[in-house]
């Protein structure tokens, strides 16, 4: 029935057909690199824009454990999986080659006012089709999107006693949730969002757990402390719909274990999405992207079967270190990152060496993260240094064009070290 409803939408909406997927000048003389990223929803977003200029055959494996911000309010009132990270990635991958596409992108990435009264008024204008945010969007396209916003609004009204907090709400999250409720399927909602946003069909965003109910994560620290919830682990905030992603107050001790929790806060071991295992096998290169190590990357690595699938691959497996440490990784070295990824993929069931899962480590040139060059080389892992800069917060950041160029060349050529040195004229320092 769901497939028939989806087919009906596609057949009766001409805007879903023959829409532009022009995302840059791609060479047709070479097969596009096939990449599989494990990442969260924010840190890798800006790089996605650059990557899509040299390949559209990319799979992004995403966690569904984000319990902060607008997502937290949706989960509190309507239940279901956390979709904030997935929505964030889909928005970043959306087509922006036409005025209408940019208008749709602007609508779906819009957030309501932080003032509750103003947020409610703004939301009513949007859902009733009267907001200026609809300018530039054709009537057919508008009504297709608005139908899911109306459904979302109706579901919130059915739970009026919960007093939904509209402040700082994400229109994209509301649309996505409306689609998930309508189709009763997280993956179908992702597919539909991708069609509305004109994401190329060869680009996939896949949840690590294909679950239509809430799951979150918890961690155990070395001092025995247990923390539940991604928000509390990574960037706690006293505000219900805002999170402090710039928090640098470290955890009281290091993380030694990560686990999943159901809506009753009981520990569970969900199976990985079969689509993820299939894509690991199909794609040429595995890339562990930048982002919060324990709340964005490792939640997708600890599930049974992921480590086995990655270890069987003979292609390149690249770990991109963050430019700087955060609350979760305070004082961690590059070797600590490598060991954390290895431990997660081994699941305490195997004793495979780091080289089973990582062939290359990419680091920022002036990163404060200690590299420990000799130890990494002993692990038979190659090191690549990428030019960096200092942002307004005095934090080390990658030069994204250089990082994308190195990734592009790495996925096409075997001798990365020579290529990276030619590109950036850098030397790995001990």
């Amino acid at each position: 029935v769901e497939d028939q409803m989806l087919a009906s939408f596609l057949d009766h909406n001409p805007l879903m057909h023959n829409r532009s997927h022009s995302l840059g000048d791609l060479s047709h003389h070479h097969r596009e690199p096939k990449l599989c990223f494990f990442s969260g929803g924010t840190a890798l977003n800006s790089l996605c824009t650059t990557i899509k200029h040299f390949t559209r055959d990319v799979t992004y494996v995403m966690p569904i454990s984000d319990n902060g911000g607008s997502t937290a309010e949706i989960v509190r009132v309507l239940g279901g999986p956390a979709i904030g990270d997935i929505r964030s990635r889909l928005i970043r991958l959306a087509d922006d080659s036409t005025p209408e596409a940019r208008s749709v992108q602007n609508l779906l990435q819009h957030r309501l006012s932080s003032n509750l009264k103003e947020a409610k008024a703004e939301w009513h204008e949007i859902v009733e089709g009267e907001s200026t945010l609809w300018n530039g969007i054709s009537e057919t396209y508008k009504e297709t999107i608005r139908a899911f916003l109306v459904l979302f609004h109706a579901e919130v009204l059915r739970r009026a006693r919960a007093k939904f907090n509209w402040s700082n709400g994400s229109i994209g999250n509301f649309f996505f949730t409306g689609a998930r409720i309508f189709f009763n399927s997280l993956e179908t909602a992702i597919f539909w969002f991708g069609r509305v946003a004109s994401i190329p069909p060869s680009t996939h965003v896949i949840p690590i757990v294909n679950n239509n109910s809430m799951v979150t994560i918890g961690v155990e620290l070395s001092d025995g402390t247990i923390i539940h919830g991604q928000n509390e682990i990574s960037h706690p905030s006293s505000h219900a719909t805002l999170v402090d992603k710039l928090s640098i107050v470290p955890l009281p001790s290091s993380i030694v274990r990560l686990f999943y929790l159901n809506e009753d806060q009981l520990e569970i071991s969900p199976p990985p999405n079969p689509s993820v295992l299939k894509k690991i096998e199909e794609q040429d290169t595995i890339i562990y992207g930048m982002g919060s190590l324990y709340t964005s990357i490792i939640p997708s690595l600890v599930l049974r079967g992921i480590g086995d699938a990655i270890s069987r691959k003979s292609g390149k497996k690249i770990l991109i270190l963050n430019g700087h440490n955060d609350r979760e990784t305070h004082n961690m070295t590059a070797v600590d990152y490598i060991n954390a990824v290895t431990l997660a993929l081994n699941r305490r069931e195997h004793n495979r060496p780091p080289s089973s899962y990582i062939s290359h480590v990419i680091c920022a040139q002036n990163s404060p993260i200690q590299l420990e060059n000799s130890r990494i080389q002993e692990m038979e892992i190659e090191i690549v240094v990428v030019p960096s800069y200092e942002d307004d917060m005095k934090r080390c950041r990658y030069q994204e064009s250089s990082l994308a160029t190195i990734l592009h060349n790495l996925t096409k050529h075997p001798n990365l070290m020579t290529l990276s040195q030619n590109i950036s004229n850098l030397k790995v320092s001990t």
Side-chain angles (χ1 to χ4, degrees), residues 116-131:
L116 180 57
K117 185 176 180 180
E118 293 176 0
K120 284 183 176 180
E122 187 180 5
W123 166 247
H124 282 290
E125 279 193 345
I126 293 171
V127 79
E128 291 170 6
E130 299 175 356
S131 170

Side-chain angles (χ1 to χ4, degrees), residues 46-324:
S46 55
L47 183 62
C48 292
T49 305
T50 308
I51 289 173
K52 66 185 182 182
H53 289 294
F54 71 79
T55 181
R56 291 171 291 192
D57 195 340
V58 185
T59 295
Y60 296 96
V61 179
M62 307 291 295
I64 60 167
S65 50
D66 180 12
N67 69 329
S70 171
T71 299
E73 187 64 7
I74 294 173
V75 173
R76 181 185 72 85
V77 176
L78 300 181
I83 44 81
D85 284 346
I86 295 174
R87 182 268 313 161
S88 177
R89 181 58 42 78
L90 290 167
I91 289 291
R92 188 53 65 106
L93 295 170
D95 177 32
D96 60 0
S97 62
T98 67
E100 182 175 47
R102 290 190 289 273
S103 295
V104 171
Q105 189 178 46
N106 184 54
L107 170 69
L108 295 178
Q109 68 186 3
H110 181 74
R111 284 190 178 273
L112 302 176
S113 169
S114 58
N115 178 280
L116 180 57
K117 185 176 180 180
E118 293 176 0
K120 284 183 176 180
E122 187 180 5
W123 166 247
H124 282 290
E125 279 193 345
I126 293 171
V127 79
E128 291 170 6
E130 299 175 356
S131 170
T132 57
L133 286 168
W134 293 109
N135 292 350
I137 302 175
S138 65
E139 191 66 20
T140 303
Y141 209 172
K142 171 183 173 180
E143 291 307 312
T144 300
I145 297 171
R146 200 171 74 87
F148 291 107
L149 297 180
V150 170
L151 174 60
F152 174 82
H153 187 72
E155 291 297 316
V156 170
L157 290 179
R158 288 178 56 199
R159 298 161 177 81
R161 290 184 180 180
K163 297 187 181 299
F164 188 88
N165 184 355
W166 297 97
S167 64
N168 206 48
S170 163
I171 302 304
N173 281 353
F174 297 164
F175 170 79
F176 193 108
T177 303
R180 181 190 62 78
I181 292 172
F182 179 79
F183 294 113
N184 194 33
S185 167
L186 177 59
E187 287 198 309
T188 305
I190 292 172
F191 171 79
W192 181 248
F193 197 113
R195 293 301 295 265
V196 167
S198 296
I199 295 172
S202 60
T203 300
H204 302 275
V205 176
I206 306 178
I208 184 61
V209 177
N210 187 20
N211 197 327
N212 210 34
S213 58
M214 189 197 83
V215 296
T216 188
I217 55 173
V219 294
E220 179 183 352
L221 307 186
S222 59
D223 66 359
T225 301
I226 302 294
I227 304 177
H228 286 182
Q230 175 176 320
N231 196 40
E232 288 302 310
I233 299 166
S234 183
H235 36 258
S237 171
S238 58
H239 195 286
T241 57
L242 293 173
V243 295
D244 180 14
K245 294 194 175 183
L246 299 180
S247 174
I248 57 173
V249 178
L251 291 167
S253 62
S254 60
I255 296 173
V256 296
R257 188 173 73 96
L258 181 139
F259 50 89
Y260 275 84
L261 298 160
N262 63 14
E263 56 190 2
D264 297 318
Q265 297 297 289
L266 298 176
E267 188 170 338
I268 57 174
S269 298
N273 188 339
S275 298
V276 173
L277 297 175
K278 181 180 179 182
K279 282 298 179 181
I280 291 174
E281 180 180 349
E282 292 177 349
Q283 302 301 89
D284 300 327
T285 303
I286 302 296
I287 303 175
Y288 313 100
M290 305 97 73
S292 300
L293 178 64
Y294 285 100
T295 54
S296 293
I297 313 301
I298 287 183
S300 296
L301 306 182
V302 298
L303 300 182
R304 187 180 301 277
I306 298 296
D308 293 336
I310 293 176
S311 69
R312 286 194 296 266
K313 290 193 67 66
S314 58
K316 296 183 178 70
K317 306 161 189 180
I318 307 164
L319 171 62
I320 306 176
L321 297 179
N322 293 328
H324 57 89

Side-chain angles (χ1 to χ4, degrees), residues 39 140 154 186 248 277 296 323 325 334 345 347 378 407 411 416:
S39 72
T140 303
L186 177 59
I248 57 173
L277 297 175
S296 293
N325 279 322
L345 291 167
R347 285 178 48 87
E378 289 173 0
L407 286 174
T411 58
L416 174 64

